[in-house]
Amino acid sequence: NKIEELKKVYNYTLEKDYFVNNLVNSAGFGDRCDFIDMDIDKQIAMTNVDCNALLYFTRVFLDNMIKNDEGHIINISSIGSILPDVARLGYGVSKAAVNSLTQNIAVQYAKQNIRCNAVLPGLIATDAAIKNMSEDFIESFLKHVPLHRMGHPEDIANAVLFFASDDSSFITGQILEVAGGYGLPSPMYGETVMK
């Protein structure tokens, strides 16, 4: 039972007298497939990681936030959650669910002074991304990124820090793209401006 496992983590924080007022949910993996060829069992596993793990963790820690009348929940989604992709349907659907969950939590628990926002990374220069993408793919992708670079992990960390701080005290339910403007211009952009 996942909830029971997570309650052990929660109980440990209570034993140590920790108050978790900032919860960052960051988990996910994707697989390339179209709808017809999608492995349903793999999709269920992906949804369990990309969305349900977030749901479990939030459920466990939300009670404590409600009791303390304070909390900031930051969910890591993906730019793929709002921009359809020809080969990552399952991942996009899972992360779109994260966006919906973010906004529903924001609305339901605002009265308890709990804020919930999501950060949507674009192409980030992590070790995993660089190892799994060819130079040709990266070059082609960056033609559609107005800032014309891959993001750095620090770009995501800074967005999370903003949502966790008092600087965003009047912001909740927001879906923040941290993607260098990817998806913003028309499809012609990459063929003309970024030649």
Side-chain angles (χ1 to χ4, degrees), residues 66-194:
I66 291 169
K67 286 174 190 171
N68 285 279
D69 199 39
E70 180 186 0
H72 314 124
I73 301 164
I74 302 104
N75 297 322
I76 307 301
S77 179
S78 168
I79 193 71
S81 68
I82 59 171
L83 296 173
D85 191 308
V86 295
R88 289 170 55 98
L89 179 141
Y91 181 73
V93 168
S94 294
K95 289 299 189 176
V98 170
N99 298 349
S100 180
L101 185 61
T102 296
Q103 293 181 322
N104 276 277
I105 289 170
V107 169
Q108 290 182 24
Y109 296 99
K111 286 184 180 179
Q112 286 88 356
N113 198 32
I114 294 166
R115 296 187 291 109
C116 188
N117 294 287
V119 174
L120 281 59
L123 183 56
I124 306 299
T126 61
D127 290 342
I130 292 169
K131 285 178 187 173
N132 290 304
M133 295 177 187
S134 69
E135 286 185 24
D136 287 345
F137 173 83
I138 292 172
E139 184 179 334
S140 174
F141 190 95
L142 291 180
K143 286 181 181 178
H144 302 280
V145 178
L147 290 181
H148 201 63
R149 69 169 175 88
M150 294 176 75
H152 303 296
E154 293 83 3
D155 295 319
I156 306 307
N158 288 335
V160 169
L161 184 61
F162 170 69
F163 279 139
S165 74
D166 289 339
D167 290 340
S168 62
S169 64
F170 200 51
I171 299 173
T172 194
Q174 295 306 298
I175 309 297
L176 178 65
E177 300 170 32
V178 183
Y182 178 71
L184 186 62
S186 76
M188 297 304 295
Y189 180 85
E191 301 303 319
T192 55
V193 177
M194 300 303 281

Side-chain angles (χ1 to χ4, degrees), residues 41-57:
D41 290 335
K42 192 174 282 188
Q43 176 59 37
I44 290 168
M46 192 185 313
T47 302
N48 279 334
V49 172
D50 294 349
C51 182
N52 294 345
L54 173 154
L55 189 150
Y56 288 133
F57 258 94

